[in-house]
Amino acid sequence: MGAVLVQRDGPATRLVIDRPERDNSLTAADVRELADRLETAAADPATRVVVLAGAGGTLCTGMDLAEVAGGADAGGGSGFFDLLRRITEIDVTVVAALDGRAVGGGVGLAAACDLVVATERSAFSLPEALWGLLPCNILPFLIRRTGFQRAYAMTLSTATMTAAEARTAGLVDELDTAQGRHLRRLVGRLAKVDRATVGEAKAYCATLSPIGADTREHASATFARLLRTPAVHTRIDNYVRHQRMPWEQ
Amino acid sequence: MGAVLVQRDGPATRLVIDRPERDNSLTAADVRELADRLETAAADPATRVVVLAGAGGTLCTGMDLAEVAGGADAGGGSGFFDLLRRITEIDVTVVAALDGRAVGGGVGLAAACDLVVATERSAFSLPEALWGLLPCNILPFLIRRTGFQRAYAMTLSTATMTAAEARTAGLVDELDTAQGRHLRRLVGRLAKVDRATVGEAKAYCATLSPIGADTREHASATFARLLRTPAVHTRIDNYVRHQRMPWEQ
Amino acid sequence: MGAVLVQRDGPATRLVIDRPERDNSLTAADVRELADRLETAAADPATRVVVLAGAGGTLCTGMDLAEVAGGADAGGGSGFFDLLRRITEIDVTVVAALDGRAVGGGVGLAAACDLVVATERSAFSLPEALWGLLPCNILPFLIRRTGFQRAYAMTLSTATMTAAEARTAGLVDELDTAQGRHLRRLVGRLAKVDRATVGEAKAYCATLSPIGADTREHASATFARLLRTPAVHTRIDNYVRHQRMPWEQ
């Protein structure tokens, strides 16, 4: 425990991913903790908005590779998919606030949030393909946000998208100043909508663009299969033991 | 009758919503009148394009709340949904022309039109959630235009979108000068396409992104249910009787 | 044979449509040749990326109308649809590179490619409706790229989209300099991803936005039906015999 800080800030509860020594990457336990913190925050009727952020500005850089190398199924299980889906369903508005990077699973967290606010220095990337992996759990949520092509292009090109590009693509809803002025104004506005109405909005909209059980199963199975391939195993091992990136091998 | 002016303008028939004293909001009777005018315009083979506009520049600000407070099912019935779907199906090109606001159902009208031209001072918003309602009938058409996220963000944030933002989001197809120069050029270009081909295009494209009977039923049922909740009833009543907006209560 | 040049360029194989005397339009035989060249390029494991381009910068201006006037089913058969789908499925990254126009089927080729890079002077249009036709085979792939509305608006308005507009719409992934600097950088980056991973990415993403057999049948049947109408026949004939465009008749 302790990977997620909880801060009350007026009508908002801030959940801050706080593993700066590991670039805010998440272990399976961290994912469970984040899911628990979200439920607790939403259970308090005084919480009108949940803000999801990362210590130092970077939201999250995906799964903890050391854990994956050790054989745990951090990214392979469906816990991460379930967290993303829960964010889209829970009856409180969840806003991602970035002032730094979102990488891999971090892009998934942002994509699943109801709204994304990011400063100009924020950046988004999906490097999974360089490891021989794919952002299986992330893509259904990212495609719902950006449409097919932008999500597909990020996957294949593994290129970094600037905050301005992400706004055009629909991955960022609002660009913010370094002082977070737009985020404060947005939280004030969101707090005027009843929690019950937020729940109704999420439930109704989900019927218009559903992410079903098939999608979850296929995502989990594909990711687990790729994770077991020798090429992927070797690359993760080389990184964890020798800090060698896959494109240096 | 008399809420919709009909003006011939070369190859175009202009349908102008003309209830300035009520901000171009629509009663159930107005919706039926608009639907009738559209059929009449399309029945004339000399009409190559229908332009839908609002007197004073504001296209429409949604349903007439006074009527809703009186117990009529203005927005709750499926008449409005059926008008939006008919716009997407009728074998004549329908262009929305804005030089002002589109609010609630007005955004739905714009979204359903084949093309939307708007001046820079135009603006779009979905305030339904502030009343405890949702833009149920509008969302299927808006999502087809802008993709899921932009429509969802407008719904939850209730924030006003500028014409420039609406263009990036795909809700506006072309920005126009105050003189309507682009609209005139566009009408000239659209008039070169056979009416039969327009009908074929609408029918073919509808198969690629269908809005089905289930969607209509679910939209109507959800909207009617929300409209019956006490919180919504109180807010509409306070507005109609005391001009008090929901966020002032 | 001979309509498609094959050029090795480091990790990339360039397929260049080379029928400048006919504006890089394609006969049914050209489509088959292009499909064959794509398979041959992909069969070479040293090919990490296929770049699809057109001699002189114009990618392709669609089907050869002279052949269509002669009764052949150039565009009516499903060979073109099958080529587009194959581009989306083959286990090598395919990049369209434009420094000029893409018209009709040329827009379809670009849309089906994994990534599209275009210089500022590039331009995109779907003039089919002016002939009484529709871009039936193209629309499923274009909608997957740009969302419904942009593809629909291009179809109905027949207006030309600039490269900058196409980038906002998602039809172009990256704007390039006249020297092709971004394309070279992109190819270098794409070459770092395993061929096997590219195949996995295409297969997985296809399940999230499938283009099915029904779509293919409906596209072929609709296009063939429109092609047989007298109005279309007369227009194509007038063009091929007298160089008279449909809007001049």
mmCIF file of all heavy atoms in Angstrom, chain B residues 114-115 144-145 167-168 170 173 189-190 192-194 197 200-202 204-205 207-209, chain C residues 129-130 132 134 136 139 143 148-150 152-153 156-159 165 218-219 225-226 235:
data_model
loop_
_atom_site.group_PDB
_atom_site.id
_atom_site.type_symbol
_atom_site.label_atom_id
_atom_site.label_comp_id
_atom_site.label_asym_id
_atom_site.label_seq_id
_atom_site.Cartn_x
_atom_site.Cartn_y
_atom_site.Cartn_z
ATOM 1 N N ASP B 114 -26.844 17.074 -42.887
ATOM 2 C CA ASP B 114 -25.775 16.478 -43.683
ATOM 3 C C ASP B 114 -24.495 17.285 -43.567
ATOM 4 O O ASP B 114 -23.403 16.727 -43.515
ATOM 5 C CB ASP B 114 -26.218 16.406 -45.148
ATOM 6 C CG ASP B 114 -27.437 15.525 -45.310
ATOM 7 O OD1 ASP B 114 -27.414 14.402 -44.776
ATOM 8 O OD2 ASP B 114 -28.417 15.964 -45.936
ATOM 9 N N LEU B 115 -24.640 18.606 -43.539
ATOM 10 C CA LEU B 115 -23.485 19.480 -43.423
ATOM 11 C C LEU B 115 -23.852 20.640 -42.509
ATOM 12 O O LEU B 115 -25.015 21.068 -42.473
ATOM 13 C CB LEU B 115 -23.074 20.006 -44.806
ATOM 14 C CG LEU B 115 -22.558 18.915 -45.765
ATOM 15 C CD1 LEU B 115 -22.634 19.378 -47.209
ATOM 16 C CD2 LEU B 115 -21.117 18.543 -45.412
ATOM 17 N N ARG B 144 -22.321 10.100 -33.986
ATOM 18 C CA ARG B 144 -22.012 9.752 -35.369
ATOM 19 C C ARG B 144 -21.185 10.848 -36.035
ATOM 20 O O ARG B 144 -20.376 10.593 -36.918
ATOM 21 C CB ARG B 144 -23.325 9.527 -36.141
ATOM 22 C CG ARG B 144 -23.127 8.704 -37.395
ATOM 23 C CD ARG B 144 -24.441 8.247 -37.976
ATOM 24 N NE ARG B 144 -25.106 9.292 -38.702
ATOM 25 C CZ ARG B 144 -25.894 9.075 -39.761
ATOM 26 N NH1 ARG B 144 -26.114 7.840 -40.172
ATOM 27 N NH2 ARG B 144 -26.485 10.062 -40.367
ATOM 28 N N ARG B 145 -21.393 12.072 -35.613
ATOM 29 C CA ARG B 145 -20.654 13.209 -36.165
ATOM 30 C C ARG B 145 -19.287 13.383 -35.556
ATOM 31 O O ARG B 145 -18.294 13.571 -36.253
ATOM 32 C CB ARG B 145 -21.432 14.503 -35.885
ATOM 33 C CG ARG B 145 -22.252 14.960 -37.040
ATOM 34 C CD ARG B 145 -22.499 16.459 -36.958
ATOM 35 N NE ARG B 145 -22.993 16.910 -38.230
ATOM 36 C CZ ARG B 145 -22.242 17.482 -39.140
ATOM 37 N NH1 ARG B 145 -20.970 17.736 -38.918
ATOM 38 N NH2 ARG B 145 -22.777 17.835 -40.291
ATOM 39 N N ARG B 167 -15.479 22.827 -35.087
ATOM 40 C CA ARG B 167 -14.948 22.393 -36.373
ATOM 41 C C ARG B 167 -13.915 21.295 -36.172
ATOM 42 O O ARG B 167 -13.912 20.285 -36.886
ATOM 43 C CB ARG B 167 -14.331 23.569 -37.122
ATOM 44 C CG ARG B 167 -13.785 23.138 -38.457
ATOM 45 C CD ARG B 167 -13.829 24.210 -39.489
ATOM 46 N NE ARG B 167 -13.687 23.589 -40.792
ATOM 47 C CZ ARG B 167 -12.513 23.381 -41.396
ATOM 48 N NH1 ARG B 167 -11.399 23.773 -40.842
ATOM 49 N NH2 ARG B 167 -12.475 22.785 -42.568
ATOM 50 N N THR B 168 -13.018 21.467 -35.216
ATOM 51 C CA THR B 168 -12.036 20.419 -34.929
ATOM 52 C C THR B 168 -12.740 19.128 -34.510
ATOM 53 O O THR B 168 -12.329 18.035 -34.879
ATOM 54 C CB THR B 168 -11.081 20.861 -33.799
ATOM 55 O OG1 THR B 168 -10.428 22.055 -34.211
ATOM 56 C CG2 THR B 168 -10.032 19.802 -33.508
ATOM 57 N N GLY B 170 -15.620 18.116 -35.458
ATOM 58 C CA GLY B 170 -16.431 17.521 -36.516
ATOM 59 C C GLY B 170 -17.908 17.879 -36.425
ATOM 60 O O GLY B 170 -18.720 17.374 -37.202
ATOM 61 N N ASP B 173 -18.785 21.560 -40.238
ATOM 62 C CA ASP B 173 -18.011 21.122 -41.399
ATOM 63 C C ASP B 173 -17.232 22.251 -42.040
ATOM 64 O O ASP B 173 -16.179 22.045 -42.629
ATOM 65 C CB ASP B 173 -18.948 20.487 -42.441
ATOM 66 C CG ASP B 173 -19.600 19.239 -41.904
ATOM 67 O OD1 ASP B 173 -18.880 18.252 -41.712
ATOM 68 O OD2 ASP B 173 -20.811 19.275 -41.620
ATOM 69 N N ARG B 189 -22.289 24.117 -55.107
ATOM 70 C CA ARG B 189 -21.609 22.848 -55.349
ATOM 71 C C ARG B 189 -22.550 21.661 -55.113
ATOM 72 O O ARG B 189 -22.594 20.715 -55.895
ATOM 73 C CB ARG B 189 -20.405 22.769 -54.410
ATOM 74 C CG ARG B 189 -19.697 21.455 -54.368
ATOM 75 C CD ARG B 189 -18.442 21.545 -53.530
ATOM 76 N NE ARG B 189 -17.365 22.149 -54.283
ATOM 77 C CZ ARG B 189 -16.605 21.492 -55.166
ATOM 78 N NH1 ARG B 189 -16.804 20.208 -55.421
ATOM 79 N NH2 ARG B 189 -15.644 22.115 -55.808
ATOM 80 N N LEU B 190 -23.307 21.723 -54.029
ATOM 81 C CA LEU B 190 -24.223 20.622 -53.696
ATOM 82 C C LEU B 190 -25.311 20.467 -54.750
ATOM 83 O O LEU B 190 -25.792 19.356 -55.006
ATOM 84 C CB LEU B 190 -24.867 20.856 -52.325
ATOM 85 C CG LEU B 190 -23.922 20.771 -51.118
ATOM 86 C CD1 LEU B 190 -24.610 21.297 -49.872
ATOM 87 C CD2 LEU B 190 -23.433 19.344 -50.904
ATOM 88 N N LYS B 192 -25.063 20.516 -57.779
ATOM 89 C CA LYS B 192 -24.596 19.774 -58.956
ATOM 90 C C LYS B 192 -24.811 18.272 -58.827
ATOM 91 O O LYS B 192 -24.630 17.529 -59.788
ATOM 92 C CB LYS B 192 -23.104 20.033 -59.177
ATOM 93 C CG LYS B 192 -22.788 21.433 -59.656
ATOM 94 C CD LYS B 192 -21.300 21.577 -59.860
ATOM 95 C CE LYS B 192 -20.943 23.026 -60.191
ATOM 96 N NZ LYS B 192 -19.595 23.356 -59.733
ATOM 97 N N VAL B 193 -25.135 17.828 -57.619
ATOM 98 C CA VAL B 193 -25.349 16.393 -57.411
ATOM 99 C C VAL B 193 -26.844 16.097 -57.546
ATOM 100 O O VAL B 193 -27.683 16.770 -56.947
ATOM 101 C CB VAL B 193 -24.826 15.956 -56.022
ATOM 102 C CG1 VAL B 193 -25.145 14.490 -55.758
ATOM 103 C CG2 VAL B 193 -23.327 16.216 -55.922
ATOM 104 N N ASP B 194 -27.168 15.087 -58.358
ATOM 105 C CA ASP B 194 -28.559 14.651 -58.547
ATOM 106 C C ASP B 194 -29.245 14.351 -57.222
ATOM 107 O O ASP B 194 -28.629 13.740 -56.339
ATOM 108 C CB ASP B 194 -28.601 13.331 -59.332
ATOM 109 C CG ASP B 194 -28.324 13.532 -60.786
ATOM 110 O OD1 ASP B 194 -28.330 14.696 -61.242
ATOM 111 O OD2 ASP B 194 -28.098 12.516 -61.470
ATOM 112 N N THR B 197 -28.938 10.701 -56.483
ATOM 113 C CA THR B 197 -27.640 10.308 -55.922
ATOM 114 C C THR B 197 -27.556 10.665 -54.443
ATOM 115 O O THR B 197 -26.977 9.921 -53.642
ATOM 116 C CB THR B 197 -26.498 10.989 -56.720
ATOM 117 O OG1 THR B 197 -26.645 10.658 -58.098
ATOM 118 C CG2 THR B 197 -25.132 10.533 -56.235
ATOM 119 N N GLU B 200 -29.313 7.986 -52.644
ATOM 120 C CA GLU B 200 -28.472 6.786 -52.603
ATOM 121 C C GLU B 200 -27.352 6.939 -51.579
ATOM 122 O O GLU B 200 -27.035 5.999 -50.835
ATOM 123 C CB GLU B 200 -27.845 6.522 -53.986
ATOM 124 C CG GLU B 200 -28.830 6.117 -55.069
ATOM 125 C CD GLU B 200 -29.164 4.619 -55.032
ATOM 126 O OE1 GLU B 200 -28.624 3.906 -54.164
ATOM 127 O OE2 GLU B 200 -29.977 4.183 -55.868
ATOM 128 N N ALA B 201 -26.737 8.108 -51.544
ATOM 129 C CA ALA B 201 -25.619 8.343 -50.622
ATOM 130 C C ALA B 201 -26.085 8.211 -49.176
ATOM 131 O O ALA B 201 -25.432 7.566 -48.352
ATOM 132 C CB ALA B 201 -25.011 9.726 -50.860
ATOM 133 N N LYS B 202 -27.247 8.809 -48.878
ATOM 134 C CA LYS B 202 -27.743 8.741 -47.502
ATOM 135 C C LYS B 202 -28.088 7.307 -47.120
ATOM 136 O O LYS B 202 -27.795 6.855 -46.012
ATOM 137 C CB LYS B 202 -28.945 9.662 -47.348
ATOM 138 C CG LYS B 202 -28.565 11.144 -47.382
ATOM 139 C CD LYS B 202 -29.789 12.012 -47.105
ATOM 140 C CE LYS B 202 -29.400 13.406 -46.660
ATOM 141 N NZ LYS B 202 -30.538 14.141 -46.070
ATOM 142 N N TYR B 204 -26.898 4.505 -48.452
ATOM 143 C CA TYR B 204 -25.708 3.655 -48.360
ATOM 144 C C TYR B 204 -24.919 3.946 -47.085
ATOM 145 O O TYR B 204 -24.528 3.030 -46.352
ATOM 146 C CB TYR B 204 -24.809 3.835 -49.597
ATOM 147 C CG TYR B 204 -23.602 2.944 -49.556
ATOM 148 C CD1 TYR B 204 -23.729 1.572 -49.738
ATOM 149 C CD2 TYR B 204 -22.338 3.459 -49.293
ATOM 150 C CE1 TYR B 204 -22.632 0.733 -49.672
ATOM 151 C CE2 TYR B 204 -21.231 2.630 -49.221
ATOM 152 C CZ TYR B 204 -21.383 1.270 -49.416
ATOM 153 O OH TYR B 204 -20.292 0.445 -49.337
ATOM 154 N N CYS B 205 -24.697 5.227 -46.814
ATOM 155 C CA CYS B 205 -23.909 5.588 -45.630
ATOM 156 C C CYS B 205 -24.606 5.158 -44.345
ATOM 157 O O CYS B 205 -23.948 4.775 -43.371
ATOM 158 C CB CYS B 205 -23.607 7.081 -45.633
ATOM 159 S SG CYS B 205 -22.406 7.527 -46.915
ATOM 160 N N THR B 207 -26.151 2.524 -43.810
ATOM 161 C CA THR B 207 -25.860 1.111 -43.511
ATOM 162 C C THR B 207 -24.491 0.955 -42.846
ATOM 163 O O THR B 207 -24.243 -0.042 -42.174
ATOM 164 C CB THR B 207 -25.874 0.231 -44.786
ATOM 165 O OG1 THR B 207 -24.788 0.623 -45.645
ATOM 166 C CG2 THR B 207 -27.176 0.379 -45.541
ATOM 167 N N LEU B 208 -23.612 1.935 -43.039
ATOM 168 C CA LEU B 208 -22.264 1.837 -42.467
ATOM 169 C C LEU B 208 -22.198 2.364 -41.038
ATOM 170 O O LEU B 208 -21.225 2.148 -40.329
ATOM 171 C CB LEU B 208 -21.264 2.594 -43.353
ATOM 172 C CG LEU B 208 -21.123 2.051 -44.777
ATOM 173 C CD1 LEU B 208 -20.195 2.941 -45.596
ATOM 174 C CD2 LEU B 208 -20.601 0.627 -44.771
ATOM 175 N N SER B 209 -23.223 3.110 -40.618
ATOM 176 C CA SER B 209 -23.249 3.651 -39.249
ATOM 177 C C SER B 209 -24.714 3.789 -38.844
ATOM 178 O O SER B 209 -25.222 4.884 -38.661
ATOM 179 C CB SER B 209 -22.540 5.015 -39.238
ATOM 180 O OG SER B 209 -22.456 5.502 -37.926
ATOM 181 N N ALA C 129 -19.973 11.364 -56.670
ATOM 182 C CA ALA C 129 -21.383 11.781 -56.710
ATOM 183 C C ALA C 129 -21.683 12.666 -57.913
ATOM 184 O O ALA C 129 -22.820 12.682 -58.403
ATOM 185 C CB ALA C 129 -21.767 12.488 -55.406
ATOM 186 N N LEU C 130 -20.696 13.389 -58.413
ATOM 187 C CA LEU C 130 -20.926 14.229 -59.595
ATOM 188 C C LEU C 130 -21.221 13.376 -60.825
ATOM 189 O O LEU C 130 -21.853 13.824 -61.774
ATOM 190 C CB LEU C 130 -19.707 15.120 -59.856
ATOM 191 C CG LEU C 130 -19.456 16.189 -58.791
ATOM 192 C CD1 LEU C 130 -18.076 16.817 -58.974
ATOM 193 C CD2 LEU C 130 -20.539 17.269 -58.844
ATOM 194 N N GLY C 132 -22.870 10.540 -60.502
ATOM 195 C CA GLY C 132 -24.019 9.705 -60.158
ATOM 196 C C GLY C 132 -23.599 8.412 -59.473
ATOM 197 O O GLY C 132 -24.410 7.509 -59.268
ATOM 198 N N LEU C 134 -21.111 6.467 -56.211
ATOM 199 C CA LEU C 134 -20.726 6.652 -54.812
ATOM 200 C C LEU C 134 -19.418 5.900 -54.562
ATOM 201 O O LEU C 134 -19.168 4.879 -55.199
ATOM 202 C CB LEU C 134 -21.800 6.079 -53.875
ATOM 203 C CG LEU C 134 -23.134 6.808 -53.836
ATOM 204 C CD1 LEU C 134 -24.104 6.052 -52.934
ATOM 205 C CD2 LEU C 134 -22.953 8.245 -53.343
ATOM 206 N N CYS C 136 -18.373 3.519 -52.898
ATOM 207 C CA CYS C 136 -18.873 2.407 -52.074
ATOM 208 C C CYS C 136 -17.759 1.601 -51.438
ATOM 209 O O CYS C 136 -17.821 1.249 -50.259
ATOM 210 C CB CYS C 136 -19.742 1.481 -52.923
ATOM 211 S SG CYS C 136 -21.187 2.295 -53.593
ATOM 212 N N LEU C 139 -15.624 3.930 -48.737
ATOM 213 C CA LEU C 139 -16.203 4.472 -47.503
ATOM 214 C C LEU C 139 -15.948 3.633 -46.251
ATOM 215 O O LEU C 139 -15.642 4.197 -45.196
ATOM 216 C CB LEU C 139 -17.702 4.742 -47.696
ATOM 217 C CG LEU C 139 -17.990 6.072 -48.410
ATOM 218 C CD1 LEU C 139 -19.432 6.126 -48.907
ATOM 219 C CD2 LEU C 139 -17.717 7.265 -47.492
ATOM 220 N N ILE C 143 -14.203 5.709 -43.379
ATOM 221 C CA ILE C 143 -14.907 5.943 -42.112
ATOM 222 C C ILE C 143 -14.093 5.422 -40.937
ATOM 223 O O ILE C 143 -14.032 6.054 -39.883
ATOM 224 C CB ILE C 143 -16.309 5.288 -42.155
ATOM 225 C CG1 ILE C 143 -17.233 6.092 -43.071
ATOM 226 C CG2 ILE C 143 -16.901 5.161 -40.747
ATOM 227 C CD1 ILE C 143 -18.595 5.465 -43.309
ATOM 228 N N PHE C 148 -17.418 8.804 -39.197
ATOM 229 C CA PHE C 148 -18.485 8.859 -40.183
ATOM 230 C C PHE C 148 -18.567 10.209 -40.902
ATOM 231 O O PHE C 148 -18.611 10.282 -42.121
ATOM 232 C CB PHE C 148 -19.826 8.583 -39.489
ATOM 233 C CG PHE C 148 -21.000 8.614 -40.425
ATOM 234 C CD1 PHE C 148 -21.328 7.497 -41.164
ATOM 235 C CD2 PHE C 148 -21.762 9.759 -40.576
ATOM 236 C CE1 PHE C 148 -22.400 7.516 -42.047
ATOM 237 C CE2 PHE C 148 -22.830 9.788 -41.456
ATOM 238 C CZ PHE C 148 -23.146 8.660 -42.193
ATOM 239 N N GLN C 149 -18.629 11.302 -40.139
ATOM 240 C CA GLN C 149 -19.048 12.568 -40.726
ATOM 241 C C GLN C 149 -18.103 13.089 -41.807
ATOM 242 O O GLN C 149 -18.534 13.567 -42.849
ATOM 243 C CB GLN C 149 -19.236 13.624 -39.633
ATOM 244 C CG GLN C 149 -19.689 14.979 -40.160
ATOM 245 C CD GLN C 149 -21.021 14.894 -40.904
ATOM 246 O OE1 GLN C 149 -21.853 14.065 -40.595
ATOM 247 N NE2 GLN C 149 -21.205 15.747 -41.899
ATOM 248 N N ARG C 150 -16.799 13.007 -41.521
ATOM 249 C CA ARG C 150 -15.864 13.556 -42.522
ATOM 250 C C ARG C 150 -15.955 12.786 -43.839
ATOM 251 O O ARG C 150 -15.877 13.361 -44.914
ATOM 252 C CB ARG C 150 -14.440 13.515 -41.983
ATOM 253 C CG ARG C 150 -13.928 14.842 -41.529
ATOM 254 C CD ARG C 150 -14.194 15.110 -40.075
ATOM 255 N NE ARG C 150 -13.653 16.385 -39.635
ATOM 256 C CZ ARG C 150 -13.076 16.579 -38.438
ATOM 257 N NH1 ARG C 150 -12.977 15.594 -37.587
ATOM 258 N NH2 ARG C 150 -12.646 17.784 -38.102
ATOM 259 N N TYR C 152 -18.568 11.132 -44.937
ATOM 260 C CA TYR C 152 -19.891 11.439 -45.504
ATOM 261 C C TYR C 152 -19.881 12.828 -46.154
ATOM 262 O O TYR C 152 -20.387 13.012 -47.273
ATOM 263 C CB TYR C 152 -20.893 11.383 -44.358
ATOM 264 C CG TYR C 152 -22.338 11.587 -44.700
ATOM 265 C CD1 TYR C 152 -22.980 10.784 -45.630
ATOM 266 C CD2 TYR C 152 -23.067 12.572 -44.042
ATOM 267 C CE1 TYR C 152 -24.327 10.963 -45.905
ATOM 268 C CE2 TYR C 152 -24.416 12.747 -44.304
ATOM 269 C CZ TYR C 152 -25.039 11.949 -45.241
ATOM 270 O OH TYR C 152 -26.371 12.126 -45.498
ATOM 271 N N ALA C 153 -19.285 13.799 -45.467
ATOM 272 C CA ALA C 153 -19.224 15.166 -46.008
ATOM 273 C C ALA C 153 -18.413 15.215 -47.304
ATOM 274 O O ALA C 153 -18.793 15.893 -48.258
ATOM 275 C CB ALA C 153 -18.629 16.120 -44.963
ATOM 276 N N LEU C 156 -20.741 13.736 -50.107
ATOM 277 C CA LEU C 156 -21.856 14.579 -50.549
ATOM 278 C C LEU C 156 -21.377 15.892 -51.152
ATOM 279 O O LEU C 156 -21.964 16.396 -52.105
ATOM 280 C CB LEU C 156 -22.773 14.913 -49.375
ATOM 281 C CG LEU C 156 -23.919 13.979 -49.057
ATOM 282 C CD1 LEU C 156 -24.785 14.589 -47.981
ATOM 283 C CD2 LEU C 156 -24.775 13.669 -50.289
ATOM 284 N N SER C 157 -20.348 16.487 -50.569
ATOM 285 C CA SER C 157 -19.927 17.824 -51.040
ATOM 286 C C SER C 157 -19.021 17.720 -52.254
ATOM 287 O O SER C 157 -18.900 18.674 -53.006
ATOM 288 C CB SER C 157 -19.203 18.578 -49.922
ATOM 289 O OG SER C 157 -17.861 18.144 -49.822
ATOM 290 N N THR C 158 -18.359 16.593 -52.442
ATOM 291 C CA THR C 158 -17.371 16.377 -53.513
ATOM 292 C C THR C 158 -16.262 17.435 -53.484
ATOM 293 O O THR C 158 -15.517 17.584 -54.460
ATOM 294 C CB THR C 158 -18.007 16.329 -54.937
ATOM 295 O OG1 THR C 158 -18.447 17.644 -55.305
ATOM 296 C CG2 THR C 158 -19.175 15.368 -54.987
ATOM 297 N N ALA C 159 -16.143 18.147 -52.365
ATOM 298 C CA ALA C 159 -15.148 19.218 -52.263
ATOM 299 C C ALA C 159 -13.756 18.653 -52.011
ATOM 300 O O ALA C 159 -13.599 17.564 -51.452
ATOM 301 C CB ALA C 159 -15.518 20.172 -51.132
ATOM 302 N N GLU C 165 -6.298 20.070 -43.716
ATOM 303 C CA GLU C 165 -7.634 19.629 -43.297
ATOM 304 C C GLU C 165 -7.668 18.110 -43.127
ATOM 305 O O GLU C 165 -8.292 17.593 -42.198
ATOM 306 C CB GLU C 165 -8.682 20.046 -44.340
ATOM 307 C CG GLU C 165 -8.951 21.537 -44.367
ATOM 308 C CD GLU C 165 -9.751 21.974 -45.609
ATOM 309 O OE1 GLU C 165 -9.768 21.236 -46.628
ATOM 310 O OE2 GLU C 165 -10.336 23.060 -45.563
ATOM 311 N N HIS C 218 -22.212 -5.662 -49.932
ATOM 312 C CA HIS C 218 -23.103 -4.510 -50.116
ATOM 313 C C HIS C 218 -22.406 -3.423 -50.933
ATOM 314 O O HIS C 218 -23.033 -2.786 -51.789
ATOM 315 C CB HIS C 218 -23.530 -3.981 -48.745
ATOM 316 C CG HIS C 218 -24.578 -2.925 -48.812
ATOM 317 N ND1 HIS C 218 -25.745 -3.069 -49.534
ATOM 318 C CD2 HIS C 218 -24.636 -1.683 -48.265
ATOM 319 C CE1 HIS C 218 -26.472 -1.969 -49.424
ATOM 320 N NE2 HIS C 218 -25.816 -1.118 -48.664
ATOM 321 N N ALA C 219 -21.124 -3.225 -50.697
ATOM 322 C CA ALA C 219 -20.369 -2.217 -51.458
ATOM 323 C C ALA C 219 -20.335 -2.594 -52.940
ATOM 324 O O ALA C 219 -20.634 -1.773 -53.818
ATOM 325 C CB ALA C 219 -18.947 -2.097 -50.903
ATOM 326 N N ARG C 225 -24.684 -1.637 -59.280
ATOM 327 C CA ARG C 225 -26.019 -1.165 -59.636
ATOM 328 C C ARG C 225 -25.980 0.284 -60.126
ATOM 329 O O ARG C 225 -26.585 0.631 -61.157
ATOM 330 C CB ARG C 225 -26.952 -1.293 -58.421
ATOM 331 C CG ARG C 225 -28.377 -0.812 -58.671
ATOM 332 C CD ARG C 225 -29.324 -1.154 -57.532
ATOM 333 N NE ARG C 225 -28.886 -0.659 -56.235
ATOM 334 C CZ ARG C 225 -28.989 0.606 -55.826
ATOM 335 N NH1 ARG C 225 -29.479 1.537 -56.622
ATOM 336 N NH2 ARG C 225 -28.576 0.959 -54.623
ATOM 337 N N LEU C 226 -25.257 1.126 -59.418
ATOM 338 C CA LEU C 226 -25.168 2.534 -59.830
ATOM 339 C C LEU C 226 -24.490 2.655 -61.195
ATOM 340 O O LEU C 226 -24.881 3.464 -62.036
ATOM 341 C CB LEU C 226 -24.408 3.350 -58.786
ATOM 342 C CG LEU C 226 -25.093 3.484 -57.422
ATOM 343 C CD1 LEU C 226 -24.172 4.187 -56.431
ATOM 344 C CD2 LEU C 226 -26.415 4.245 -57.534
ATOM 345 N N ARG C 235 -22.784 9.931 -68.680
ATOM 346 C CA ARG C 235 -21.735 10.844 -68.203
ATOM 347 C C ARG C 235 -20.336 10.305 -68.472
ATOM 348 O O ARG C 235 -19.442 11.043 -68.880
ATOM 349 C CB ARG C 235 -21.915 11.078 -66.698
ATOM 350 C CG ARG C 235 -23.063 12.009 -66.413
ATOM 351 C CD ARG C 235 -23.443 11.986 -64.952
ATOM 352 N NE ARG C 235 -24.559 12.875 -64.702
ATOM 353 C CZ ARG C 235 -25.387 12.788 -63.670
ATOM 354 N NH1 ARG C 235 -25.212 11.829 -62.777
ATOM 355 N NH2 ARG C 235 -26.368 13.628 -63.518
#
